[in-house]
PDB file of all heavy atoms in Angstrom:
ATOM      1  N   TYR E   1      -7.577  27.327   5.865  1.00  0.00           N
ATOM      2  CA  TYR E   1      -8.389  26.118   5.894  1.00  0.00           C
ATOM      3  C   TYR E   1      -8.035  25.192   4.729  1.00  0.00           C
ATOM      4  O   TYR E   1      -8.032  23.969   4.865  1.00  0.00           O
ATOM      5  CB  TYR E   1      -9.872  26.473   5.855  1.00  0.00           C
ATOM      6  CG  TYR E   1     -10.428  26.932   7.173  1.00  0.00           C
ATOM      7  CD1 TYR E   1     -11.100  28.141   7.290  1.00  0.00           C
ATOM      8  CD2 TYR E   1     -10.274  26.142   8.313  1.00  0.00           C
ATOM      9  CE1 TYR E   1     -11.608  28.571   8.505  1.00  0.00           C
ATOM     10  CE2 TYR E   1     -10.778  26.562   9.538  1.00  0.00           C
ATOM     11  CZ  TYR E   1     -11.440  27.780   9.631  1.00  0.00           C
ATOM     12  OH  TYR E   1     -11.934  28.193  10.840  1.00  0.00           O
ATOM     13  N   ALA E   2      -7.744  25.756   3.570  1.00  0.00           N
ATOM     14  CA  ALA E   2      -7.386  24.943   2.401  1.00  0.00           C
ATOM     15  C   ALA E   2      -6.110  24.153   2.672  1.00  0.00           C
ATOM     16  O   ALA E   2      -6.009  22.969   2.358  1.00  0.00           O
ATOM     17  CB  ALA E   2      -7.218  25.822   1.170  1.00  0.00           C
ATOM     18  N   LEU E   3      -5.119  24.821   3.270  1.00  0.00           N
ATOM     19  CA  LEU E   3      -3.858  24.147   3.570  1.00  0.00           C
ATOM     20  C   LEU E   3      -4.050  23.072   4.627  1.00  0.00           C
ATOM     21  O   LEU E   3      -3.458  21.989   4.553  1.00  0.00           O
ATOM     22  CB  LEU E   3      -2.813  25.172   4.031  1.00  0.00           C
ATOM     23  CG  LEU E   3      -2.256  26.098   2.946  1.00  0.00           C
ATOM     24  CD1 LEU E   3      -1.384  27.190   3.567  1.00  0.00           C
ATOM     25  CD2 LEU E   3      -1.449  25.291   1.921  1.00  0.00           C
ATOM     26  N   GLU E   4      -4.876  23.366   5.631  1.00  0.00           N
ATOM     27  CA  GLU E   4      -5.144  22.376   6.672  1.00  0.00           C
ATOM     28  C   GLU E   4      -5.860  21.164   6.091  1.00  0.00           C
ATOM     29  O   GLU E   4      -5.573  20.019   6.431  1.00  0.00           O
ATOM     30  CB  GLU E   4      -5.970  23.000   7.803  1.00  0.00           C
ATOM     31  CG  GLU E   4      -5.191  23.959   8.677  1.00  0.00           C
ATOM     32  CD  GLU E   4      -4.113  23.257   9.474  1.00  0.00           C
ATOM     33  OE1 GLU E   4      -4.277  22.065   9.792  1.00  0.00           O
ATOM     34  OE2 GLU E   4      -3.095  23.903   9.784  1.00  0.00           O
ATOM     35  N   ALA E   5      -6.823  21.420   5.199  1.00  0.00           N
ATOM     36  CA  ALA E   5      -7.546  20.323   4.562  1.00  0.00           C
ATOM     37  C   ALA E   5      -6.607  19.478   3.721  1.00  0.00           C
ATOM     38  O   ALA E   5      -6.649  18.245   3.751  1.00  0.00           O
ATOM     39  CB  ALA E   5      -8.677  20.870   3.696  1.00  0.00           C
ATOM     40  N   GLN E   6      -5.748  20.145   2.958  1.00  0.00           N
ATOM     41  CA  GLN E   6      -4.797  19.418   2.116  1.00  0.00           C
ATOM     42  C   GLN E   6      -3.841  18.585   2.967  1.00  0.00           C
ATOM     43  O   GLN E   6      -3.526  17.433   2.630  1.00  0.00           O
ATOM     44  CB  GLN E   6      -4.008  20.404   1.254  1.00  0.00           C
ATOM     45  CG  GLN E   6      -3.138  19.727   0.201  1.00  0.00           C
ATOM     46  CD  GLN E   6      -2.502  20.718  -0.735  1.00  0.00           C
ATOM     47  OE1 GLN E   6      -2.188  21.838  -0.332  1.00  0.00           O
ATOM     48  NE2 GLN E   6      -2.295  20.323  -1.975  1.00  0.00           N
ATOM     49  N   LYS E   7      -3.381  19.157   4.066  1.00  0.00           N
ATOM     50  CA  LYS E   7      -2.486  18.430   4.970  1.00  0.00           C
ATOM     51  C   LYS E   7      -3.181  17.200   5.548  1.00  0.00           C
ATOM     52  O   LYS E   7      -2.595  16.107   5.615  1.00  0.00           O
ATOM     53  CB  LYS E   7      -2.037  19.357   6.101  1.00  0.00           C
ATOM     54  CG  LYS E   7      -1.078  18.710   7.081  1.00  0.00           C
ATOM     55  CD  LYS E   7      -0.666  19.700   8.168  1.00  0.00           C
ATOM     56  CE  LYS E   7       0.251  19.035   9.190  1.00  0.00           C
ATOM     57  NZ  LYS E   7       0.627  19.998  10.271  1.00  0.00           N
ATOM     58  N   ALA E   8      -4.440  17.373   5.955  1.00  0.00           N
ATOM     59  CA  ALA E   8      -5.190  16.249   6.521  1.00  0.00           C
ATOM     60  C   ALA E   8      -5.401  15.149   5.482  1.00  0.00           C
ATOM     61  O   ALA E   8      -5.225  13.966   5.773  1.00  0.00           O
ATOM     62  CB  ALA E   8      -6.537  16.741   7.046  1.00  0.00           C
ATOM     63  N   ILE E   9      -5.766  15.538   4.266  1.00  0.00           N
ATOM     64  CA  ILE E   9      -6.005  14.558   3.209  1.00  0.00           C
ATOM     65  C   ILE E   9      -4.713  13.841   2.850  1.00  0.00           C
ATOM     66  O   ILE E   9      -4.696  12.607   2.672  1.00  0.00           O
ATOM     67  CB  ILE E   9      -6.614  15.239   1.960  1.00  0.00           C
ATOM     68  CG1 ILE E   9      -7.995  15.787   2.291  1.00  0.00           C
ATOM     69  CG2 ILE E   9      -6.713  14.247   0.798  1.00  0.00           C
ATOM     70  CD1 ILE E   9      -8.581  16.686   1.221  1.00  0.00           C
ATOM     71  N   ASN E  10      -3.613  14.580   2.743  1.00  0.00           N
ATOM     72  CA  ASN E  10      -2.326  13.954   2.443  1.00  0.00           C
ATOM     73  C   ASN E  10      -1.944  12.931   3.510  1.00  0.00           C
ATOM     74  O   ASN E  10      -1.414  11.864   3.199  1.00  0.00           O
ATOM     75  CB  ASN E  10      -1.224  15.017   2.336  1.00  0.00           C
ATOM     76  CG  ASN E  10      -1.151  15.642   0.952  1.00  0.00           C
ATOM     77  OD1 ASN E  10      -1.348  14.953  -0.045  1.00  0.00           O
ATOM     78  ND2 ASN E  10      -0.876  16.929   0.887  1.00  0.00           N
ATOM     79  N   GLY E  11      -2.212  13.283   4.766  1.00  0.00           N
ATOM     80  CA  GLY E  11      -1.909  12.353   5.843  1.00  0.00           C
ATOM     81  C   GLY E  11      -2.732  11.082   5.752  1.00  0.00           C
ATOM     82  O   GLY E  11      -2.216   9.975   5.933  1.00  0.00           O
ATOM     83  N   LYS E  12      -4.029  11.232   5.466  1.00  0.00           N
ATOM     84  CA  LYS E  12      -4.900  10.071   5.339  1.00  0.00           C
ATOM     85  C   LYS E  12      -4.482   9.215   4.145  1.00  0.00           C
ATOM     86  O   LYS E  12      -4.455   7.983   4.221  1.00  0.00           O
ATOM     87  CB  LYS E  12      -6.350  10.531   5.170  1.00  0.00           C
ATOM     88  CG  LYS E  12      -6.922  11.305   6.342  1.00  0.00           C
ATOM     89  CD  LYS E  12      -7.126  10.429   7.549  1.00  0.00           C
ATOM     90  CE  LYS E  12      -7.859  11.187   8.659  1.00  0.00           C
ATOM     91  NZ  LYS E  12      -8.082  10.352   9.845  1.00  0.00           N
ATOM     92  N   ARG E  13      -4.172   9.884   3.021  1.00  0.00           N
ATOM     93  CA  ARG E  13      -3.770   9.126   1.832  1.00  0.00           C
ATOM     94  C   ARG E  13      -2.466   8.378   2.087  1.00  0.00           C
ATOM     95  O   ARG E  13      -2.316   7.215   1.710  1.00  0.00           O
ATOM     96  CB  ARG E  13      -3.587  10.074   0.635  1.00  0.00           C
ATOM     97  CG  ARG E  13      -3.283   9.319  -0.652  1.00  0.00           C
ATOM     98  CD  ARG E  13      -2.850  10.208  -1.797  1.00  0.00           C
ATOM     99  NE  ARG E  13      -2.698   9.444  -3.022  1.00  0.00           N
ATOM    100  CZ  ARG E  13      -1.631   8.719  -3.311  1.00  0.00           C
ATOM    101  NH1 ARG E  13      -0.620   8.654  -2.453  1.00  0.00           N
ATOM    102  NH2 ARG E  13      -1.564   8.044  -4.463  1.00  0.00           N
ATOM    103  N   SER E  14      -1.514   9.044   2.718  1.00  0.00           N
ATOM    104  CA  SER E  14      -0.221   8.413   3.002  1.00  0.00           C
ATOM    105  C   SER E  14      -0.385   7.177   3.868  1.00  0.00           C
ATOM    106  O   SER E  14       0.239   6.137   3.616  1.00  0.00           O
ATOM    107  CB  SER E  14       0.701   9.426   3.683  1.00  0.00           C
ATOM    108  OG  SER E  14       1.938   8.835   4.012  1.00  0.00           O
ATOM    109  N   ALA E  15      -1.241   7.277   4.888  1.00  0.00           N
ATOM    110  CA  ALA E  15      -1.478   6.130   5.766  1.00  0.00           C
ATOM    111  C   ALA E  15      -2.148   4.991   4.999  1.00  0.00           C
ATOM    112  O   ALA E  15      -1.801   3.819   5.168  1.00  0.00           O
ATOM    113  CB  ALA E  15      -2.346   6.551   6.954  1.00  0.00           C
ATOM    114  N   ALA E  16      -3.115   5.340   4.139  1.00  0.00           N
ATOM    115  CA  ALA E  16      -3.809   4.315   3.356  1.00  0.00           C
ATOM    116  C   ALA E  16      -2.858   3.630   2.385  1.00  0.00           C
ATOM    117  O   ALA E  16      -2.891   2.406   2.208  1.00  0.00           O
ATOM    118  CB  ALA E  16      -4.984   4.943   2.592  1.00  0.00           C
ATOM    119  N   VAL E  17      -1.984   4.412   1.745  1.00  0.00           N
ATOM    120  CA  VAL E  17      -1.014   3.843   0.799  1.00  0.00           C
ATOM    121  C   VAL E  17      -0.038   2.926   1.519  1.00  0.00           C
ATOM    122  O   VAL E  17       0.269   1.817   1.055  1.00  0.00           O
ATOM    123  CB  VAL E  17      -0.260   4.963   0.055  1.00  0.00           C
ATOM    124  CG1 VAL E  17       0.972   4.420  -0.656  1.00  0.00           C
ATOM    125  CG2 VAL E  17      -1.182   5.643  -0.946  1.00  0.00           C
ATOM    126  N   SER E  18       0.474   3.374   2.655  1.00  0.00           N
ATOM    127  CA  SER E  18       1.443   2.577   3.403  1.00  0.00           C
ATOM    128  C   SER E  18       0.868   1.221   3.779  1.00  0.00           C
ATOM    129  O   SER E  18       1.526   0.180   3.627  1.00  0.00           O
ATOM    130  CB  SER E  18       1.877   3.337   4.657  1.00  0.00           C
ATOM    131  OG  SER E  18       2.786   2.577   5.411  1.00  0.00           O
ATOM    132  N   LYS E  19      -0.370   1.233   4.241  1.00  0.00           N
ATOM    133  CA  LYS E  19      -1.011  -0.017   4.655  1.00  0.00           C
ATOM    134  C   LYS E  19      -1.280  -0.908   3.450  1.00  0.00           C
ATOM    135  O   LYS E  19      -1.068  -2.127   3.501  1.00  0.00           O
ATOM    136  CB  LYS E  19      -2.314   0.316   5.374  1.00  0.00           C
ATOM    137  CG  LYS E  19      -2.692  -0.663   6.472  1.00  0.00           C
ATOM    138  CD  LYS E  19      -3.783  -0.050   7.324  1.00  0.00           C
ATOM    139  CE  LYS E  19      -4.134  -0.948   8.477  1.00  0.00           C
ATOM    140  NZ  LYS E  19      -5.197  -0.367   9.306  1.00  0.00           N
ATOM    141  N   ALA E  20      -1.738  -0.320   2.339  1.00  0.00           N
ATOM    142  CA  ALA E  20      -2.010  -1.100   1.132  1.00  0.00           C
ATOM    143  C   ALA E  20      -0.738  -1.727   0.590  1.00  0.00           C
ATOM    144  O   ALA E  20      -0.733  -2.894   0.173  1.00  0.00           O
ATOM    145  CB  ALA E  20      -2.665  -0.222   0.074  1.00  0.00           C
ATOM    146  N   VAL E  21       0.353  -0.971   0.611  1.00  0.00           N
ATOM    147  CA  VAL E  21       1.632  -1.506   0.125  1.00  0.00           C
ATOM    148  C   VAL E  21       2.086  -2.676   0.994  1.00  0.00           C
ATOM    149  O   VAL E  21       2.587  -3.689   0.482  1.00  0.00           O
ATOM    150  CB  VAL E  21       2.701  -0.390   0.090  1.00  0.00           C
ATOM    151  CG1 VAL E  21       4.098  -0.966  -0.124  1.00  0.00           C
ATOM    152  CG2 VAL E  21       2.376   0.608  -1.015  1.00  0.00           C
ATOM    153  N   ASP E  22       1.919  -2.558   2.305  1.00  0.00           N
ATOM    154  CA  ASP E  22       2.278  -3.665   3.200  1.00  0.00           C
ATOM    155  C   ASP E  22       1.493  -4.931   2.850  1.00  0.00           C
ATOM    156  O   ASP E  22       2.048  -6.034   2.818  1.00  0.00           O
ATOM    157  CB  ASP E  22       2.010  -3.285   4.657  1.00  0.00           C
ATOM    158  CG  ASP E  22       3.033  -2.302   5.202  1.00  0.00           C
ATOM    159  OD1 ASP E  22       4.109  -2.167   4.582  1.00  0.00           O
ATOM    160  OD2 ASP E  22       2.751  -1.673   6.236  1.00  0.00           O
ATOM    161  N   VAL E  23       0.195  -4.766   2.600  1.00  0.00           N
ATOM    162  CA  VAL E  23      -0.640  -5.931   2.305  1.00  0.00           C
ATOM    163  C   VAL E  23      -0.315  -6.497   0.929  1.00  0.00           C
ATOM    164  O   VAL E  23      -0.237  -7.722   0.749  1.00  0.00           O
ATOM    165  CB  VAL E  23      -2.135  -5.573   2.423  1.00  0.00           C
ATOM    166  CG1 VAL E  23      -3.007  -6.773   2.060  1.00  0.00           C
ATOM    167  CG2 VAL E  23      -2.460  -5.107   3.839  1.00  0.00           C
ATOM    168  N   LEU E  24      -0.105  -5.634  -0.049  1.00  0.00           N
ATOM    169  CA  LEU E  24       0.281  -6.105  -1.383  1.00  0.00           C
ATOM    170  C   LEU E  24       1.568  -6.915  -1.309  1.00  0.00           C
ATOM    171  O   LEU E  24       1.703  -7.970  -1.949  1.00  0.00           O
ATOM    172  CB  LEU E  24       0.464  -4.920  -2.327  1.00  0.00           C
ATOM    173  CG  LEU E  24      -0.818  -4.237  -2.817  1.00  0.00           C
ATOM    174  CD1 LEU E  24      -0.498  -2.867  -3.409  1.00  0.00           C
ATOM    175  CD2 LEU E  24      -1.537  -5.104  -3.852  1.00  0.00           C
ATOM    176  N   THR E  25       2.525  -6.439  -0.520  1.00  0.00           N
ATOM    177  CA  THR E  25       3.793  -7.156  -0.362  1.00  0.00           C
ATOM    178  C   THR E  25       3.583  -8.487   0.329  1.00  0.00           C
ATOM    179  O   THR E  25       4.173  -9.506  -0.050  1.00  0.00           O
ATOM    180  CB  THR E  25       4.783  -6.285   0.433  1.00  0.00           C
ATOM    181  OG1 THR E  25       4.916  -5.012  -0.194  1.00  0.00           O
ATOM    182  CG2 THR E  25       6.142  -6.948   0.513  1.00  0.00           C
ATOM    183  N   GLN E  26       2.716  -8.470   1.341  1.00  0.00           N
ATOM    184  CA  GLN E  26       2.414  -9.717   2.060  1.00  0.00           C
ATOM    185  C   GLN E  26       1.807 -10.755   1.128  1.00  0.00           C
ATOM    186  O   GLN E  26       2.226 -11.911   1.107  1.00  0.00           O
ATOM    187  CB  GLN E  26       1.434  -9.403   3.194  1.00  0.00           C
ATOM    188  CG  GLN E  26       0.952 -10.614   3.972  1.00  0.00           C
ATOM    189  CD  GLN E  26       1.739 -10.823   5.243  1.00  0.00           C
ATOM    190  OE1 GLN E  26       2.939 -10.576   5.289  1.00  0.00           O
ATOM    191  NE2 GLN E  26       1.079 -11.265   6.267  1.00  0.00           N
ATOM    192  N   VAL E  27       0.819 -10.363   0.349  1.00  0.00           N
ATOM    193  CA  VAL E  27       0.159 -11.295  -0.564  1.00  0.00           C
ATOM    194  C   VAL E  27       1.145 -11.760  -1.636  1.00  0.00           C
ATOM    195  O   VAL E  27       1.142 -12.927  -2.041  1.00  0.00           O
ATOM    196  CB  VAL E  27      -1.087 -10.651  -1.194  1.00  0.00           C
ATOM    197  CG1 VAL E  27      -1.758 -11.608  -2.167  1.00  0.00           C
ATOM    198  CG2 VAL E  27      -2.079 -10.228  -0.112  1.00  0.00           C
ATOM    199  N   ALA E  28       2.001 -10.846  -2.094  1.00  0.00           N
ATOM    200  CA  ALA E  28       3.015 -11.215  -3.080  1.00  0.00           C
ATOM    201  C   ALA E  28       3.945 -12.290  -2.533  1.00  0.00           C
ATOM    202  O   ALA E  28       4.331 -13.217  -3.253  1.00  0.00           O
ATOM    203  CB  ALA E  28       3.820  -9.983  -3.493  1.00  0.00           C
ATOM    204  N   GLU E  29       4.296 -12.194  -1.256  1.00  0.00           N
ATOM    205  CA  GLU E  29       5.166 -13.194  -0.638  1.00  0.00           C
ATOM    206  C   GLU E  29       4.489 -14.561  -0.585  1.00  0.00           C
ATOM    207  O   GLU E  29       5.129 -15.597  -0.805  1.00  0.00           O
ATOM    208  CB  GLU E  29       5.551 -12.732   0.768  1.00  0.00           C
ATOM    209  CG  GLU E  29       6.499 -11.543   0.765  1.00  0.00           C
ATOM    210  CD  GLU E  29       6.674 -10.925   2.138  1.00  0.00           C
ATOM    211  OE1 GLU E  29       5.911 -11.283   3.058  1.00  0.00           O
ATOM    212  OE2 GLU E  29       7.572 -10.085   2.286  1.00  0.00           O
ATOM    213  N   VAL E  30       3.191 -14.551  -0.307  1.00  0.00           N
ATOM    214  CA  VAL E  30       2.449 -15.815  -0.276  1.00  0.00           C
ATOM    215  C   VAL E  30       2.448 -16.458  -1.662  1.00  0.00           C
ATOM    216  O   VAL E  30       2.678 -17.665  -1.816  1.00  0.00           O
ATOM    217  CB  VAL E  30       1.009 -15.593   0.230  1.00  0.00           C
ATOM    218  CG1 VAL E  30       0.207 -16.886   0.153  1.00  0.00           C
ATOM    219  CG2 VAL E  30       1.017 -15.067   1.666  1.00  0.00           C
ATOM    220  N   HIS E  31       2.187 -15.641  -2.691  1.00  0.00           N
ATOM    221  CA  HIS E  31       2.185 -16.169  -4.059  1.00  0.00           C
ATOM    222  C   HIS E  31       3.576 -16.648  -4.477  1.00  0.00           C
ATOM    223  O   HIS E  31       3.716 -17.669  -5.157  1.00  0.00           O
ATOM    224  CB  HIS E  31       1.675 -15.100  -5.034  1.00  0.00           C
ATOM    225  CG  HIS E  31       0.189 -14.954  -5.048  1.00  0.00           C
ATOM    226  ND1 HIS E  31      -0.654 -15.967  -5.452  1.00  0.00           N
ATOM    227  CD2 HIS E  31      -0.617 -13.906  -4.703  1.00  0.00           C
ATOM    228  CE1 HIS E  31      -1.915 -15.558  -5.361  1.00  0.00           C
ATOM    229  NE2 HIS E  31      -1.912 -14.315  -4.900  1.00  0.00           N
ATOM    230  N   TYR E  32       4.612 -15.916  -4.071  1.00  0.00           N
ATOM    231  CA  TYR E  32       5.973 -16.314  -4.416  1.00  0.00           C
ATOM    232  C   TYR E  32       6.299 -17.673  -3.793  1.00  0.00           C
ATOM    233  O   TYR E  32       6.888 -18.537  -4.449  1.00  0.00           O
ATOM    234  CB  TYR E  32       6.956 -15.251  -3.941  1.00  0.00           C
ATOM    235  CG  TYR E  32       8.371 -15.465  -4.413  1.00  0.00           C
ATOM    236  CD1 TYR E  32       8.846 -14.828  -5.554  1.00  0.00           C
ATOM    237  CD2 TYR E  32       9.252 -16.297  -3.723  1.00  0.00           C
ATOM    238  CE1 TYR E  32      10.149 -15.007  -5.997  1.00  0.00           C
ATOM    239  CE2 TYR E  32      10.544 -16.493  -4.160  1.00  0.00           C
ATOM    240  CZ  TYR E  32      10.996 -15.851  -5.297  1.00  0.00           C
ATOM    241  OH  TYR E  32      12.286 -16.052  -5.725  1.00  0.00           O
ATOM    242  N   ALA E  33       5.922 -17.837  -2.538  1.00  0.00           N
ATOM    243  CA  ALA E  33       6.185 -19.112  -1.856  1.00  0.00           C
ATOM    244  C   ALA E  33       5.475 -20.274  -2.543  1.00  0.00           C
ATOM    245  O   ALA E  33       5.935 -21.418  -2.478  1.00  0.00           O
ATOM    246  CB  ALA E  33       5.749 -19.015  -0.397  1.00  0.00           C
ATOM    247  N   ALA E  34       4.341 -19.979  -3.220  1.00  0.00           N
ATOM    248  CA  ALA E  34       3.598 -21.013  -3.941  1.00  0.00           C
ATOM    249  C   ALA E  34       4.032 -21.103  -5.407  1.00  0.00           C
ATOM    250  O   ALA E  34       3.374 -21.775  -6.207  1.00  0.00           O
ATOM    251  CB  ALA E  34       2.104 -20.724  -3.863  1.00  0.00           C
ATOM    252  N   SER E  35       5.146 -20.438  -5.756  1.00  0.00           N
ATOM    253  CA  SER E  35       5.706 -20.435  -7.114  1.00  0.00           C
ATOM    254  C   SER E  35       4.808 -19.730  -8.131  1.00  0.00           C
ATOM    255  O   SER E  35       4.941 -19.958  -9.339  1.00  0.00           O
ATOM    256  CB  SER E  35       6.010 -21.868  -7.586  1.00  0.00           C
ATOM    257  OG  SER E  35       6.939 -22.492  -6.720  1.00  0.00           O
ATOM    258  N   ASN E  36       3.903 -18.860  -7.652  1.00  0.00           N
ATOM    259  CA  ASN E  36       3.065 -18.064  -8.551  1.00  0.00           C
ATOM    260  C   ASN E  36       3.774 -16.733  -8.815  1.00  0.00           C
ATOM    261  O   ASN E  36       3.368 -15.668  -8.335  1.00  0.00           O
ATOM    262  CB  ASN E  36       1.682 -17.823  -7.932  1.00  0.00           C
ATOM    263  CG  ASN E  36       0.938 -19.111  -7.659  1.00  0.00           C
ATOM    264  OD1 ASN E  36       1.070 -20.076  -8.408  1.00  0.00           O
ATOM    265  ND2 ASN E  36       0.167 -19.135  -6.584  1.00  0.00           N
ATOM    266  N   TYR E  37       4.849 -16.811  -9.583  1.00  0.00           N
ATOM    267  CA  TYR E  37       5.737 -15.659  -9.718  1.00  0.00           C
ATOM    268  C   TYR E  37       5.096 -14.505 -10.483  1.00  0.00           C
ATOM    269  O   TYR E  37       5.361 -13.338 -10.181  1.00  0.00           O
ATOM    270  CB  TYR E  37       7.048 -16.099 -10.388  1.00  0.00           C
ATOM    271  CG  TYR E  37       7.717 -17.227  -9.653  1.00  0.00           C
ATOM    272  CD1 TYR E  37       7.979 -18.449 -10.288  1.00  0.00           C
ATOM    273  CD2 TYR E  37       8.083 -17.093  -8.316  1.00  0.00           C
ATOM    274  CE1 TYR E  37       8.577 -19.494  -9.616  1.00  0.00           C
ATOM    275  CE2 TYR E  37       8.681 -18.141  -7.628  1.00  0.00           C
ATOM    276  CZ  TYR E  37       8.926 -19.336  -8.280  1.00  0.00           C
ATOM    277  OH  TYR E  37       9.512 -20.372  -7.604  1.00  0.00           O
ATOM    278  N   ALA E  38       4.285 -14.805 -11.490  1.00  0.00           N
ATOM    279  CA  ALA E  38       3.632 -13.732 -12.255  1.00  0.00           C
ATOM    280  C   ALA E  38       2.662 -12.955 -11.370  1.00  0.00           C
ATOM    281  O   ALA E  38       2.597 -11.714 -11.431  1.00  0.00           O
ATOM    282  CB  ALA E  38       2.905 -14.317 -13.462  1.00  0.00           C
ATOM    283  N   ASP E  39       1.889 -13.670 -10.538  1.00  0.00           N
ATOM    284  CA  ASP E  39       0.957 -12.998  -9.623  1.00  0.00           C
ATOM    285  C   ASP E  39       1.724 -12.163  -8.600  1.00  0.00           C
ATOM    286  O   ASP E  39       1.330 -11.037  -8.277  1.00  0.00           O
ATOM    287  CB  ASP E  39       0.092 -14.025  -8.899  1.00  0.00           C
ATOM    288  CG  ASP E  39      -0.905 -14.704  -9.823  1.00  0.00           C
ATOM    289  OD1 ASP E  39      -1.230 -14.119 -10.876  1.00  0.00           O
ATOM    290  OD2 ASP E  39      -1.338 -15.828  -9.507  1.00  0.00           O
ATOM    291  N   SER E  40       2.819 -12.716  -8.098  1.00  0.00           N
ATOM    292  CA  SER E  40       3.639 -11.994  -7.134  1.00  0.00           C
ATOM    293  C   SER E  40       4.196 -10.723  -7.754  1.00  0.00           C
ATOM    294  O   SER E  40       4.161  -9.642  -7.136  1.00  0.00           O
ATOM    295  CB  SER E  40       4.782 -12.891  -6.649  1.00  0.00           C
ATOM    296  OG  SER E  40       5.564 -12.223  -5.678  1.00  0.00           O
ATOM    297  N   LEU E  41       4.678 -10.812  -8.976  1.00  0.00           N
ATOM    298  CA  LEU E  41       5.243  -9.651  -9.661  1.00  0.00           C
ATOM    299  C   LEU E  41       4.192  -8.565  -9.873  1.00  0.00           C
ATOM    300  O   LEU E  41       4.462  -7.371  -9.675  1.00  0.00           O
ATOM    301  CB  LEU E  41       5.828 -10.074 -11.007  1.00  0.00           C
ATOM    302  CG  LEU E  41       6.389  -8.950 -11.887  1.00  0.00           C
ATOM    303  CD1 LEU E  41       7.504  -8.203 -11.172  1.00  0.00           C
ATOM    304  CD2 LEU E  41       6.870  -9.514 -13.224  1.00  0.00           C
TER     305      LEU E  41
END
């Protein structure tokens, strides 16, 4: 059960990270296009 729980949590975390990274990149692109390079970085 411990291994199954860990596997499930890792899967949920991985999905959450992947989605957050996509959105962070998207927002960074918007800031870059507006010449807000420090915010994008």
Side-chain angles (χ1 to χ4, degrees):
Y1 282 126
L3 288 172
E4 287 293 331
Q6 188 173 32
K7 181 179 178 181
I9 295 170
N10 275 323
K12 297 290 187 180
R13 185 190 185 279
S14 178
V17 166
S18 179
K19 212 166 183 180
V21 168
D22 286 343
V23 178
L24 286 164
T25 306
Q26 176 97 324
V27 179
E29 290 169 349
V30 175
H31 281 296
Y32 188 95
S35 300
N36 300 326
Y37 304 121
D39 290 338
S40 182
L41 177 59

